[in-house]
mmCIF file of all heavy atoms in Angstrom:
data_model
loop_
_atom_site.group_PDB
_atom_site.id
_atom_site.type_symbol
_atom_site.label_atom_id
_atom_site.label_comp_id
_atom_site.label_asym_id
_atom_site.label_seq_id
_atom_site.Cartn_x
_atom_site.Cartn_y
_atom_site.Cartn_z
ATOM 1 N N THR V 1 22.772 -39.915 -50.666
ATOM 2 C CA THR V 1 21.642 -40.629 -50.060
ATOM 3 C C THR V 1 20.556 -41.008 -51.058
ATOM 4 O O THR V 1 19.696 -41.819 -50.734
ATOM 5 C CB THR V 1 20.985 -39.769 -48.963
ATOM 6 O OG1 THR V 1 20.448 -38.583 -49.559
ATOM 7 C CG2 THR V 1 21.984 -39.423 -47.866
ATOM 8 N N GLU V 2 20.587 -40.415 -52.245
ATOM 9 C CA GLU V 2 19.538 -40.600 -53.257
ATOM 10 C C GLU V 2 18.167 -40.166 -52.753
ATOM 11 O O GLU V 2 17.132 -40.670 -53.173
ATOM 12 C CB GLU V 2 19.516 -42.027 -53.792
ATOM 13 C CG GLU V 2 20.780 -42.394 -54.523
ATOM 14 C CD GLU V 2 20.738 -43.752 -55.178
ATOM 15 O OE1 GLU V 2 19.750 -44.501 -55.004
ATOM 16 O OE2 GLU V 2 21.715 -44.083 -55.871
ATOM 17 N N VAL V 3 18.164 -39.231 -51.815
ATOM 18 C CA VAL V 3 16.950 -38.586 -51.321
ATOM 19 C C VAL V 3 16.996 -37.148 -51.831
ATOM 20 O O VAL V 3 18.036 -36.493 -51.709
ATOM 21 C CB VAL V 3 16.886 -38.606 -49.783
ATOM 22 C CG1 VAL V 3 15.730 -37.769 -49.255
ATOM 23 C CG2 VAL V 3 16.785 -40.040 -49.273
ATOM 24 N N PRO V 4 15.910 -36.643 -52.408
ATOM 25 C CA PRO V 4 15.922 -35.251 -52.842
ATOM 26 C C PRO V 4 16.192 -34.310 -51.667
ATOM 27 O O PRO V 4 15.490 -34.340 -50.657
ATOM 28 C CB PRO V 4 14.510 -35.035 -53.398
ATOM 29 C CG PRO V 4 14.027 -36.398 -53.767
ATOM 30 C CD PRO V 4 14.643 -37.318 -52.742
ATOM 31 N N VAL V 5 17.236 -33.521 -51.783
ATOM 32 C CA VAL V 5 17.598 -32.510 -50.792
ATOM 33 C C VAL V 5 17.519 -31.185 -51.537
ATOM 34 O O VAL V 5 18.346 -30.903 -52.399
ATOM 35 C CB VAL V 5 18.990 -32.760 -50.196
ATOM 36 C CG1 VAL V 5 19.342 -31.679 -49.178
ATOM 37 C CG2 VAL V 5 19.047 -34.146 -49.548
ATOM 38 N N ILE V 6 16.509 -30.419 -51.216
ATOM 39 C CA ILE V 6 16.165 -29.244 -52.000
ATOM 40 C C ILE V 6 16.868 -28.006 -51.447
ATOM 41 O O ILE V 6 16.750 -27.683 -50.270
ATOM 42 C CB ILE V 6 14.639 -29.029 -52.013
ATOM 43 C CG1 ILE V 6 13.906 -30.335 -52.374
ATOM 44 C CG2 ILE V 6 14.272 -27.884 -52.949
ATOM 45 C CD1 ILE V 6 14.337 -31.007 -53.650
ATOM 46 N N PHE V 7 17.556 -27.295 -52.325
ATOM 47 C CA PHE V 7 18.331 -26.121 -51.952
ATOM 48 C C PHE V 7 17.434 -24.883 -52.019
ATOM 49 O O PHE V 7 17.204 -24.314 -53.081
ATOM 50 C CB PHE V 7 19.526 -25.963 -52.891
ATOM 51 C CG PHE V 7 20.464 -24.862 -52.498
ATOM 52 C CD1 PHE V 7 21.337 -25.029 -51.433
ATOM 53 C CD2 PHE V 7 20.489 -23.665 -53.193
ATOM 54 C CE1 PHE V 7 22.223 -24.020 -51.070
ATOM 55 C CE2 PHE V 7 21.368 -22.649 -52.833
ATOM 56 C CZ PHE V 7 22.233 -22.826 -51.776
ATOM 57 N N GLY V 8 16.924 -24.483 -50.862
ATOM 58 C CA GLY V 8 16.100 -23.289 -50.756
ATOM 59 C C GLY V 8 16.806 -22.214 -49.954
ATOM 60 O O GLY V 8 16.164 -21.440 -49.260
ATOM 61 N N VAL V 9 18.113 -22.186 -50.050
ATOM 62 C CA VAL V 9 18.896 -21.188 -49.333
ATOM 63 C C VAL V 9 19.093 -19.993 -50.263
ATOM 64 O O VAL V 9 19.613 -20.154 -51.367
ATOM 65 C CB VAL V 9 20.263 -21.749 -48.894
ATOM 66 C CG1 VAL V 9 21.095 -20.686 -48.195
ATOM 67 C CG2 VAL V 9 20.070 -22.966 -47.995
ATOM 68 N N ILE V 10 18.658 -18.829 -49.820
ATOM 69 C CA ILE V 10 18.846 -17.642 -50.650
ATOM 70 C C ILE V 10 20.192 -17.009 -50.327
ATOM 71 O O ILE V 10 20.628 -17.004 -49.174
ATOM 72 C CB ILE V 10 17.692 -16.638 -50.497
ATOM 73 C CG1 ILE V 10 17.499 -16.197 -49.050
ATOM 74 C CG2 ILE V 10 16.400 -17.222 -51.044
ATOM 75 C CD1 ILE V 10 16.461 -15.109 -48.872
ATOM 76 N N THR V 11 20.863 -16.533 -51.364
ATOM 77 C CA THR V 11 22.156 -15.888 -51.221
ATOM 78 C C THR V 11 22.040 -14.523 -51.894
ATOM 79 O O THR V 11 21.842 -14.446 -53.106
ATOM 80 C CB THR V 11 23.265 -16.730 -51.866
ATOM 81 O OG1 THR V 11 22.962 -16.949 -53.243
ATOM 82 C CG2 THR V 11 23.390 -18.076 -51.160
ATOM 83 N N THR V 12 22.128 -13.471 -51.102
ATOM 84 C CA THR V 12 21.876 -12.130 -51.638
ATOM 85 C C THR V 12 22.962 -11.151 -51.223
ATOM 86 O O THR V 12 23.718 -11.395 -50.274
ATOM 87 C CB THR V 12 20.519 -11.593 -51.154
ATOM 88 O OG1 THR V 12 20.547 -11.427 -49.731
ATOM 89 C CG2 THR V 12 19.375 -12.536 -51.515
ATOM 90 N N ASP V 13 22.980 -10.036 -51.924
ATOM 91 C CA ASP V 13 23.923 -8.975 -51.600
ATOM 92 C C ASP V 13 23.407 -8.057 -50.502
ATOM 93 O O ASP V 13 24.188 -7.447 -49.787
ATOM 94 C CB ASP V 13 24.235 -8.137 -52.849
ATOM 95 C CG ASP V 13 25.081 -8.903 -53.841
ATOM 96 O OD1 ASP V 13 25.970 -9.664 -53.416
ATOM 97 O OD2 ASP V 13 24.859 -8.747 -55.061
ATOM 98 N N THR V 14 22.067 -7.960 -50.382
ATOM 99 C CA THR V 14 21.491 -7.017 -49.420
ATOM 100 C C THR V 14 20.334 -7.653 -48.647
ATOM 101 O O THR V 14 19.730 -8.627 -49.101
ATOM 102 C CB THR V 14 20.942 -5.759 -50.134
ATOM 103 O OG1 THR V 14 19.824 -6.138 -50.946
ATOM 104 C CG2 THR V 14 22.006 -5.080 -50.986
ATOM 105 N N ILE V 15 20.030 -7.046 -47.527
ATOM 106 C CA ILE V 15 18.882 -7.475 -46.733
ATOM 107 C C ILE V 15 17.598 -7.289 -47.534
ATOM 108 O O ILE V 15 16.705 -8.146 -47.501
ATOM 109 C CB ILE V 15 18.818 -6.692 -45.401
ATOM 110 C CG1 ILE V 15 19.981 -7.108 -44.509
ATOM 111 C CG2 ILE V 15 17.487 -6.896 -44.697
ATOM 112 C CD1 ILE V 15 20.161 -6.238 -43.280
ATOM 113 N N GLU V 16 17.520 -6.221 -48.286
ATOM 114 C CA GLU V 16 16.317 -5.957 -49.093
ATOM 115 C C GLU V 16 16.076 -7.063 -50.106
ATOM 116 O O GLU V 16 14.932 -7.506 -50.294
ATOM 117 C CB GLU V 16 16.448 -4.599 -49.814
ATOM 118 C CG GLU V 16 16.425 -3.397 -48.896
ATOM 119 C CD GLU V 16 17.745 -3.150 -48.156
ATOM 120 O OE1 GLU V 16 18.795 -3.674 -48.583
ATOM 121 O OE2 GLU V 16 17.724 -2.457 -47.112
ATOM 122 N N GLN V 17 17.130 -7.528 -50.761
ATOM 123 C CA GLN V 17 16.993 -8.628 -51.715
ATOM 124 C C GLN V 17 16.514 -9.899 -51.008
ATOM 125 O O GLN V 17 15.700 -10.650 -51.549
ATOM 126 C CB GLN V 17 18.320 -8.901 -52.414
ATOM 127 C CG GLN V 17 18.750 -7.834 -53.379
ATOM 128 C CD GLN V 17 20.158 -8.069 -53.907
ATOM 129 O OE1 GLN V 17 20.962 -8.798 -53.305
ATOM 130 N NE2 GLN V 17 20.474 -7.431 -55.028
ATOM 131 N N ALA V 18 17.030 -10.151 -49.827
ATOM 132 C CA ALA V 18 16.624 -11.332 -49.067
ATOM 133 C C ALA V 18 15.138 -11.265 -48.724
ATOM 134 O O ALA V 18 14.408 -12.249 -48.880
ATOM 135 C CB ALA V 18 17.462 -11.462 -47.799
ATOM 136 N N ILE V 19 14.691 -10.108 -48.264
ATOM 137 C CA ILE V 19 13.282 -9.937 -47.907
ATOM 138 C C ILE V 19 12.395 -10.136 -49.129
ATOM 139 O O ILE V 19 11.336 -10.777 -49.050
ATOM 140 C CB ILE V 19 13.065 -8.559 -47.244
ATOM 141 C CG1 ILE V 19 13.748 -8.537 -45.869
ATOM 142 C CG2 ILE V 19 11.577 -8.232 -47.118
ATOM 143 C CD1 ILE V 19 13.845 -7.161 -45.240
ATOM 144 N N GLU V 20 12.830 -9.630 -50.280
ATOM 145 C CA GLU V 20 12.070 -9.808 -51.521
ATOM 146 C C GLU V 20 11.908 -11.284 -51.873
ATOM 147 O O GLU V 20 10.856 -11.707 -52.333
ATOM 148 C CB GLU V 20 12.760 -9.082 -52.682
ATOM 149 C CG GLU V 20 12.643 -7.587 -52.625
ATOM 150 C CD GLU V 20 13.446 -6.898 -53.727
ATOM 151 O OE1 GLU V 20 14.065 -7.592 -54.569
ATOM 152 O OE2 GLU V 20 13.443 -5.655 -53.742
ATOM 153 N N ARG V 21 12.923 -12.101 -51.631
ATOM 154 C CA ARG V 21 12.894 -13.521 -51.995
ATOM 155 C C ARG V 21 12.207 -14.387 -50.928
ATOM 156 O O ARG V 21 11.988 -15.565 -51.139
ATOM 157 C CB ARG V 21 14.311 -14.004 -52.250
ATOM 158 C CG ARG V 21 14.859 -13.469 -53.560
ATOM 159 C CD ARG V 21 16.364 -13.632 -53.667
ATOM 160 N NE ARG V 21 16.873 -13.144 -54.933
ATOM 161 C CZ ARG V 21 17.015 -11.865 -55.264
ATOM 162 N NH1 ARG V 21 16.676 -10.926 -54.414
ATOM 163 N NH2 ARG V 21 17.498 -11.509 -56.428
ATOM 164 N N ALA V 22 11.895 -13.761 -49.811
ATOM 165 C CA ALA V 22 11.258 -14.503 -48.715
ATOM 166 C C ALA V 22 9.775 -14.183 -48.595
ATOM 167 O O ALA V 22 9.173 -14.456 -47.560
ATOM 168 C CB ALA V 22 11.972 -14.197 -47.406
ATOM 169 N N GLY V 23 9.195 -13.636 -49.641
ATOM 170 C CA GLY V 23 7.751 -13.477 -49.594
ATOM 171 C C GLY V 23 7.191 -12.172 -50.104
ATOM 172 O O GLY V 23 5.995 -11.948 -50.018
ATOM 173 N N THR V 24 8.026 -11.303 -50.666
ATOM 174 C CA THR V 24 7.447 -10.068 -51.197
ATOM 175 C C THR V 24 7.560 -10.074 -52.720
ATOM 176 O O THR V 24 7.015 -10.957 -53.367
ATOM 177 C CB THR V 24 8.094 -8.813 -50.569
ATOM 178 O OG1 THR V 24 9.490 -8.810 -50.833
ATOM 179 C CG2 THR V 24 7.862 -8.764 -49.068
ATOM 180 N N LYS V 25 8.278 -9.159 -53.317
ATOM 181 C CA LYS V 25 8.327 -8.983 -54.775
ATOM 182 C C LYS V 25 8.759 -10.214 -55.562
ATOM 183 O O LYS V 25 8.222 -10.498 -56.628
ATOM 184 C CB LYS V 25 9.290 -7.852 -55.130
ATOM 185 C CG LYS V 25 8.846 -6.494 -54.734
ATOM 186 C CD LYS V 25 9.884 -5.494 -55.223
ATOM 187 C CE LYS V 25 9.706 -4.153 -54.580
ATOM 188 N NZ LYS V 25 10.747 -3.226 -55.000
ATOM 189 N N ALA V 26 9.752 -10.914 -55.084
ATOM 190 C CA ALA V 26 10.333 -12.025 -55.849
ATOM 191 C C ALA V 26 9.764 -13.374 -55.438
ATOM 192 O O ALA V 26 10.358 -14.414 -55.674
ATOM 193 C CB ALA V 26 11.851 -12.020 -55.694
ATOM 194 N N GLY V 27 8.595 -13.403 -54.828
ATOM 195 C CA GLY V 27 7.992 -14.661 -54.401
ATOM 196 C C GLY V 27 8.571 -15.141 -53.090
ATOM 197 O O GLY V 27 9.199 -14.390 -52.356
ATOM 198 N N ASN V 28 8.357 -16.408 -52.796
ATOM 199 C CA ASN V 28 8.837 -16.998 -51.551
ATOM 200 C C ASN V 28 9.619 -18.260 -51.908
ATOM 201 O O ASN V 28 9.032 -19.240 -52.377
ATOM 202 C CB ASN V 28 7.660 -17.312 -50.622
ATOM 203 C CG ASN V 28 8.096 -17.821 -49.276
ATOM 204 O OD1 ASN V 28 8.891 -18.743 -49.184
ATOM 205 N ND2 ASN V 28 7.561 -17.235 -48.220
ATOM 206 N N LYS V 29 10.910 -18.226 -51.711
ATOM 207 C CA LYS V 29 11.759 -19.354 -52.090
ATOM 208 C C LYS V 29 11.502 -20.589 -51.228
ATOM 209 O O LYS V 29 11.777 -21.709 -51.655
ATOM 210 C CB LYS V 29 13.233 -18.958 -52.050
ATOM 211 C CG LYS V 29 13.570 -17.830 -53.022
ATOM 212 C CD LYS V 29 13.084 -18.132 -54.435
ATOM 213 C CE LYS V 29 13.345 -16.962 -55.371
ATOM 214 N NZ LYS V 29 12.718 -17.116 -56.681
ATOM 215 N N GLY V 30 10.945 -20.415 -50.036
ATOM 216 C CA GLY V 30 10.527 -21.566 -49.232
ATOM 217 C C GLY V 30 9.367 -22.284 -49.887
ATOM 218 O O GLY V 30 9.307 -23.520 -49.928
ATOM 219 N N ARG V 31 8.438 -21.515 -50.414
ATOM 220 C CA ARG V 31 7.301 -22.080 -51.152
ATOM 221 C C ARG V 31 7.794 -22.848 -52.382
ATOM 222 O O ARG V 31 7.376 -23.973 -52.648
ATOM 223 C CB ARG V 31 6.366 -20.935 -51.559
ATOM 224 C CG ARG V 31 5.104 -21.352 -52.230
ATOM 225 C CD ARG V 31 4.197 -20.152 -52.535
ATOM 226 N NE ARG V 31 3.855 -19.371 -51.351
ATOM 227 C CZ ARG V 31 2.939 -19.720 -50.446
ATOM 228 N NH1 ARG V 31 2.294 -20.852 -50.582
ATOM 229 N NH2 ARG V 31 2.690 -18.940 -49.419
ATOM 230 N N ASP V 32 8.711 -22.228 -53.132
ATOM 231 C CA ASP V 32 9.270 -22.877 -54.327
ATOM 232 C C ASP V 32 9.971 -24.185 -53.968
ATOM 233 O O ASP V 32 9.826 -25.194 -54.666
ATOM 234 C CB ASP V 32 10.273 -21.950 -55.018
ATOM 235 C CG ASP V 32 9.639 -20.675 -55.553
ATOM 236 O OD1 ASP V 32 8.394 -20.586 -55.641
ATOM 237 O OD2 ASP V 32 10.419 -19.744 -55.875
ATOM 238 N N ALA V 33 10.735 -24.167 -52.878
ATOM 239 C CA ALA V 33 11.464 -25.363 -52.459
ATOM 240 C C ALA V 33 10.505 -26.487 -52.070
ATOM 241 O O ALA V 33 10.751 -27.655 -52.368
ATOM 242 C CB ALA V 33 12.409 -25.032 -51.301
ATOM 243 N N ALA V 34 9.404 -26.144 -51.414
ATOM 244 C CA ALA V 34 8.408 -27.160 -51.033
ATOM 245 C C ALA V 34 7.756 -27.778 -52.257
ATOM 246 O O ALA V 34 7.522 -28.998 -52.297
ATOM 247 C CB ALA V 34 7.360 -26.544 -50.104
ATOM 248 N N GLU V 35 7.450 -26.974 -53.257
ATOM 249 C CA GLU V 35 6.877 -27.522 -54.491
ATOM 250 C C GLU V 35 7.861 -28.471 -55.164
ATOM 251 O O GLU V 35 7.479 -29.543 -55.644
ATOM 252 C CB GLU V 35 6.484 -26.396 -55.449
ATOM 253 C CG GLU V 35 5.247 -25.648 -55.011
ATOM 254 C CD GLU V 35 4.875 -24.514 -55.957
ATOM 255 O OE1 GLU V 35 5.660 -24.198 -56.886
ATOM 256 O OE2 GLU V 35 3.788 -23.943 -55.764
ATOM 257 N N THR V 36 9.122 -28.088 -55.181
ATOM 258 C CA THR V 36 10.146 -28.949 -55.760
ATOM 259 C C THR V 36 10.251 -30.261 -54.985
ATOM 260 O O THR V 36 10.373 -31.332 -55.577
ATOM 261 C CB THR V 36 11.506 -28.221 -55.778
ATOM 262 O OG1 THR V 36 11.375 -27.022 -56.547
ATOM 263 C CG2 THR V 36 12.598 -29.093 -56.362
ATOM 264 N N ALA V 37 10.187 -30.186 -53.658
ATOM 265 C CA ALA V 37 10.261 -31.394 -52.828
ATOM 266 C C ALA V 37 9.093 -32.329 -53.117
ATOM 267 O O ALA V 37 9.283 -33.548 -53.222
ATOM 268 C CB ALA V 37 10.277 -31.012 -51.349
ATOM 269 N N LEU V 38 7.903 -31.786 -53.237
ATOM 270 C CA LEU V 38 6.728 -32.612 -53.567
ATOM 271 C C LEU V 38 6.928 -33.318 -54.900
ATOM 272 O O LEU V 38 6.709 -34.535 -55.019
ATOM 273 C CB LEU V 38 5.471 -31.744 -53.634
ATOM 274 C CG LEU V 38 4.810 -31.385 -52.328
ATOM 275 C CD1 LEU V 38 3.877 -30.185 -52.505
ATOM 276 C CD2 LEU V 38 4.036 -32.579 -51.782
ATOM 277 N N GLU V 39 7.321 -32.553 -55.906
ATOM 278 C CA GLU V 39 7.497 -33.125 -57.240
ATOM 279 C C GLU V 39 8.591 -34.188 -57.238
ATOM 280 O O GLU V 39 8.429 -35.270 -57.823
ATOM 281 C CB GLU V 39 7.817 -32.025 -58.241
ATOM 282 C CG GLU V 39 7.887 -32.539 -59.651
ATOM 283 C CD GLU V 39 8.017 -31.459 -60.699
ATOM 284 O OE1 GLU V 39 7.774 -30.269 -60.398
ATOM 285 O OE2 GLU V 39 8.356 -31.817 -61.853
ATOM 286 N N MET V 40 9.699 -33.907 -56.588
ATOM 287 C CA MET V 40 10.807 -34.864 -56.571
ATOM 288 C C MET V 40 10.472 -36.125 -55.775
ATOM 289 O O MET V 40 10.869 -37.231 -56.171
ATOM 290 C CB MET V 40 12.068 -34.206 -56.029
ATOM 291 C CG MET V 40 12.717 -33.236 -56.999
ATOM 292 S SD MET V 40 13.179 -34.005 -58.579
ATOM 293 C CE MET V 40 14.433 -35.177 -58.021
ATOM 294 N N ALA V 41 9.747 -35.990 -54.667
ATOM 295 C CA ALA V 41 9.335 -37.169 -53.905
ATOM 296 C C ALA V 41 8.485 -38.090 -54.764
ATOM 297 O O ALA V 41 8.680 -39.321 -54.756
ATOM 298 C CB ALA V 41 8.586 -36.757 -52.642
ATOM 299 N N ASN V 42 7.586 -37.511 -55.529
ATOM 300 C CA ASN V 42 6.739 -38.311 -56.415
ATOM 301 C C ASN V 42 7.525 -38.882 -57.589
ATOM 302 O O ASN V 42 7.299 -40.028 -57.999
ATOM 303 C CB ASN V 42 5.558 -37.471 -56.901
ATOM 304 C CG ASN V 42 4.527 -37.310 -55.831
ATOM 305 O OD1 ASN V 42 4.000 -38.273 -55.301
ATOM 306 N ND2 ASN V 42 4.241 -36.073 -55.452
ATOM 307 N N LEU V 43 8.454 -38.112 -58.112
ATOM 308 C CA LEU V 43 9.281 -38.602 -59.214
ATOM 309 C C LEU V 43 10.142 -39.788 -58.780
ATOM 310 O O LEU V 43 10.232 -40.788 -59.495
ATOM 311 C CB LEU V 43 10.186 -37.476 -59.735
ATOM 312 C CG LEU V 43 11.173 -37.880 -60.828
ATOM 313 C CD1 LEU V 43 10.435 -38.295 -62.101
ATOM 314 C CD2 LEU V 43 12.146 -36.749 -61.104
ATOM 315 N N MET V 44 10.723 -39.695 -57.596
ATOM 316 C CA MET V 44 11.588 -40.784 -57.118
ATOM 317 C C MET V 44 10.823 -42.082 -56.972
ATOM 318 O O MET V 44 11.403 -43.165 -57.179
ATOM 319 C CB MET V 44 12.241 -40.388 -55.786
ATOM 320 C CG MET V 44 13.178 -39.184 -55.881
ATOM 321 S SD MET V 44 14.502 -39.337 -57.077
ATOM 322 C CE MET V 44 15.586 -40.457 -56.200
ATOM 323 N N ASP V 45 9.530 -42.004 -56.660
ATOM 324 C CA ASP V 45 8.699 -43.211 -56.584
ATOM 325 C C ASP V 45 8.600 -43.918 -57.927
ATOM 326 O O ASP V 45 8.345 -45.125 -57.992
ATOM 327 C CB ASP V 45 7.287 -42.881 -56.096
ATOM 328 C CG ASP V 45 7.224 -42.524 -54.630
ATOM 329 O OD1 ASP V 45 8.203 -42.795 -53.889
ATOM 330 O OD2 ASP V 45 6.188 -41.962 -54.212
ATOM 331 N N GLN V 46 8.744 -43.163 -58.998
ATOM 332 C CA GLN V 46 8.572 -43.721 -60.347
ATOM 333 C C GLN V 46 9.870 -44.221 -60.982
ATOM 334 O O GLN V 46 9.831 -44.907 -62.015
ATOM 335 C CB GLN V 46 7.962 -42.647 -61.263
ATOM 336 C CG GLN V 46 6.589 -42.197 -60.822
ATOM 337 C CD GLN V 46 6.089 -41.094 -61.722
ATOM 338 O OE1 GLN V 46 6.018 -41.273 -62.935
ATOM 339 N NE2 GLN V 46 5.745 -39.958 -61.145
ATOM 340 N N LEU V 47 10.985 -43.864 -60.393
ATOM 341 C CA LEU V 47 12.264 -44.241 -61.012
ATOM 342 C C LEU V 47 12.774 -45.562 -60.494
ATOM 343 O O LEU V 47 12.497 -45.992 -59.429
ATOM 344 C CB LEU V 47 13.306 -43.136 -60.749
ATOM 345 C CG LEU V 47 12.987 -41.795 -61.388
ATOM 346 C CD1 LEU V 47 14.046 -40.761 -61.001
ATOM 347 C CD2 LEU V 47 12.931 -41.915 -62.907
#
């Protein structure tokens, strides 16, 4: 589609690892994905 589709799906071995990546020790991967989407939307405007 040439539309940025951002992969913010976490894949973990344990529930604890998942919780860490969803807003505790390892940050929030949803937040990271949103930042990537913003940057890519703006980048695509320039290409």
Side-chain angles (χ1 to χ4, degrees):
T1 63
E2 296 186 355
V3 172
V5 179
I6 311 306
F7 186 76
V9 178
I10 57 174
T11 57
T12 64
D13 289 323
T14 66
I15 291 170
E16 292 78 18
Q17 290 173 340
I19 291 168
E20 287 175 2
R21 287 165 179 75
T24 59
K25 291 183 194 177
N28 185 309
K29 299 308 176 189
R31 184 177 303 282
D32 296 346
E35 287 179 352
T36 301
L38 279 162
E39 185 172 345
M40 286 302 295
N42 284 303
L43 176 65
M44 297 304 285
D45 288 345
Q46 298 177 56
L47 296 177

